[in-house]
Amino acid sequence: MGTIRTHVVVVGAGPAGLTLANLLRRNGINCILLEQESRAFIEQRPRAGFIEEWAVRALERNGLADRLLRSAQTQGSFEFRFDGARYEFEYAELTGNCHFVYPQQILVTDLVAAYTDSGGDARFEVSGVQLHNLDSSPTVTYDGQEIECDFVAGCDGARGVCQTYVEGERARHDYGIGWLALLAQAPPSAAGVIFGIHPDGFAAHMARTADVTRFYLQCKPDDTEDDWPDERVWTELHTRLTVPGGAITEGKLFEKRVLDMHNYVLERMSHGGLYLAGESAHLVAPIAAKGMNLAIHDALLLSEGISAHYAGDPGKLAGYSDACLARVWQYQEFSQWLSDIFHGSPDPFLNGLARARLRRLLGSRAAAEAFAEIYIGKRADF
Ligand SMILES: Cc1cc2nc3c(=O)[nH]c(=O)nc-3n(C[C@H](O)[C@H](O)[C@H](O)COP(=O)(O)OP(=O)(O)OC[C@H]3O[C@@H](n4cnc5c(N)ncnc54)[C@H](O)[C@@H]3O)c2cc1C
């Protein structure tokens, strides 16, 4: 088995791992990035699309947002549609901040290029990653190779191996519903996001690019893609989202996937020399488009902590888990709150409460400001 040495091994090349690897390199800290998929695969894997402004500005400060700032559309409002009417919600006007619409696979492509073009060591299609000696001298093994390091950054997502090395409780919440996630080769039907609240179930529309639109349809948790032939998809999208003057444009569906709608949060995000970042430590269902933003937030804090460690200040790294989890729990709470409004309830009392919240949100500027602040993540570190 060949042995090499580096400062940090980063496992996983998603938004968390790639942001972290770039930031560490910029601070002169050596790292090796290990990814189980091919570079071509991760550069085409569609997932998120909405990045909050604070995250974009942080990437910009580190020279990682050039193409994003040149080409991403910004959005500062969305529409609720219910009872046949449309209600515009202008959150940029309330907060001064907006979302940048930038498909995750394009951000991943940019971050891989920034890292490898600057000489970063990225190894794709690795298998059998295992961690050892986390309490003393961490090592990572894979494919007959051994890497000795000071730290392991576990950025390998919700199905990765790194989280299995961290002890502690896992708080989990199931929504008891499914979401059918769809991508259509169709121009957006509206400038912004549409949240459709309907007795048949929730539906959403989100622009991705000039000719690609993401849609979501609430479905039964045990539904499969086969339960949703294209004709049924479009019938339900029209039923749940169309209002007078607001039609939905159809196109070829090229992604159709039932999401298991659940959240989890690990009690601790570290063990010895291992630090988790992103979905390896916490998952939030895509109700409020928060997951990628949290992954970037963790990466920012972890790079600060590791950089401070090498500068002789171990305190930041010691506080890493608590600092991340503060924002994680605010976003989890917000997603749950939004879920109650979106999905309603078969219980008429709970349904009445959800409608009361919606009317307050649309009728009170103070309620709208509080909502907008957390929706765009302007303040969430309580
Ligand atoms: C349909 C959908 C829509 C979404 N929309 C939004 C949105 O609009 N806004 C938003 O903020 N979030 C959204 N999200 C969530 C967002 O995509 C995730 O939160 C984000 O990908 C998490 O980043 P990550 O780096 O933590 O993990 P990942 O992106 O999952 O990256 C982990 C990486 O680790 C690799 N890996 C796994 N195991 C191993 C191993 N053993 N060894 C080596 N490598 C390994 C994986 O291949 C992967 O490349 C959405 C998610 C979905 C599914």
Side-chain angles (χ1 to χ4, degrees):
M1 181 175 279
T3 302
I4 49 176
R5 186 166 172 83
T6 191
H7 290 129
V8 183
V9 175
V10 179
V11 185
L18 285 164
T19 303
L20 177 67
N22 273 291
L23 297 177
L24 292 176
R25 267 194 70 72
R26 267 151 219 264
N27 289 339
I29 296 164
N30 293 325
C31 51
I32 296 175
L33 179 60
L34 301 178
E35 165 59 49
Q36 69 179 8
E37 303 290 353
S38 69
R39 179 171 176 172
F41 179 84
I42 63 166
E43 290 184 349
Q44 286 169 21
R45 180 173 50 193
R47 282 184 174 171
F50 278 73
I51 315 183
E52 296 169 0
E53 181 157 353
W54 62 264
V56 172
R57 298 297 167 212
L59 294 173
E60 181 186 18
R61 280 196 295 282
N62 288 286
L64 296 172
D66 293 355
R67 182 157 72 129
L68 191 166
L69 289 166
R70 273 200 315 276
S71 60
Q73 304 268 345
T74 56
Q75 274 187 20
S77 68
F78 65 77
E79 258 183 64
F80 283 118
R81 291 187 180 181
F82 58 95
D83 298 342
R86 347 169 37 157
Y87 301 86
E88 192 79 7
F89 189 89
E90 307 268 0
Y91 57 90
E93 190 256 315
L94 293 165
T95 60
N97 279 194
C98 61
H99 280 105
F100 287 72
V101 185
Y102 202 59
Q104 179 169 328
Q105 67 273 24
I106 302 182
L107 179 69
V108 163
T109 302
D110 293 352
L111 294 174
V112 172
Y115 180 69
T116 53
D117 291 354
S118 68
D121 183 341
R123 302 173 184 202
F124 296 97
E125 298 181 72
V126 307
S127 59
V129 168
Q130 289 186 346
L131 316 184
H132 315 268
N133 306 327
L134 292 170
D135 288 320
S136 49
S137 319
T139 56
V140 178
T141 53
Y142 71 95
D143 294 338
Q145 181 79 49
E146 182 178 54
I147 313 176
E148 295 174 351
C149 55
D150 298 328
F151 300 107
V152 181
C155 307
D156 51 348
R159 294 191 188 84
V161 290
C162 291
Q163 58 177 244
T164 63
Y165 293 87
V166 175
E167 290 159 6
E169 291 291 316
R170 169 189 289 244
R172 185 183 158 109
H173 172 70
D174 280 282
Y175 286 95
I177 54 162
W179 268 21
L180 185 66
L182 303 150
L183 281 170
Q185 200 72 46
S189 310
V193 170
I194 306 169
F195 296 129
I197 300 168
H198 192 275
D200 291 356
F202 172 74
H205 157 287
M206 295 174 188
R208 279 291 185 264
T209 62
D211 48 14
V212 172
T213 305
R214 187 176 270 300
F215 292 98
Y216 291 111
L217 276 171
Q218 180 182 345
C219 62
K220 295 197 193 112
D222 51 359
D223 274 1
T224 68
E225 291 74 12
D226 292 341
D227 293 314
W228 288 89
D230 293 5
E231 204 183 305
R232 183 179 177 204
V233 165
W234 289 113
T235 302
E236 284 299 320
L237 285 172
H238 289 302
T239 303
R240 300 183 197 184
L241 288 173
T242 303
V243 292
I248 294 300
T249 308
E250 295 190 13
K252 184 176 161 36
L253 293 169
F254 64 93
E255 188 193 72
K256 194 186 283 181
R257 187 174 148 207
V258 176
L259 303 180
D260 176 14
M261 296 291 281
H262 69 278
N263 306 326
Y264 65 74
V265 182
L266 265 56
E267 184 182 6
R268 269 194 306 279
M269 289 176 58
S270 64
H271 172 85
L274 167 66
Y275 292 82
L276 302 179
E279 284 193 353
S280 62
H282 43 76
L283 181 80
V284 53
I287 291 169
K290 293 297 192 189
M292 179 164 66
N293 293 286
L294 285 175
I296 294 171
H297 186 250
D298 290 354
L300 293 166
L301 293 186
L302 188 51
S303 101
E304 276 176 26
I306 292 175
S307 302
H309 167 89
Y310 286 114
D313 168 16
K316 268 206 165 141
L317 209 41
Y320 166 72
S321 191
D322 288 345
C324 294
L325 291 175
R327 182 173 287 257
V328 168
W329 278 112
Q330 290 299 330
Y331 280 14
Q332 294 283 6
E333 191 277 339
F334 180 68
S335 295
Q336 178 63 52
W337 192 93
L338 206 51
S339 167
D340 291 346
I341 287 187
F342 283 172
H343 304 118
S345 166
D347 177 334
F349 184 81
L350 295 179
N351 222 26
L353 296 184
R355 282 305 176 105
R357 279 183 187 173
L358 191 52
R359 288 199 305 277
R360 185 166 67 238
L361 179 59
L362 295 170
S364 152
R365 185 169 175 99
E369 278 173 354
F371 175 95
E373 186 176 81
I374 185 84
Y375 182 68
I376 193 61
K378 190 171 180 182
R379 282 202 63 213
D381 297 316
F382 307 105

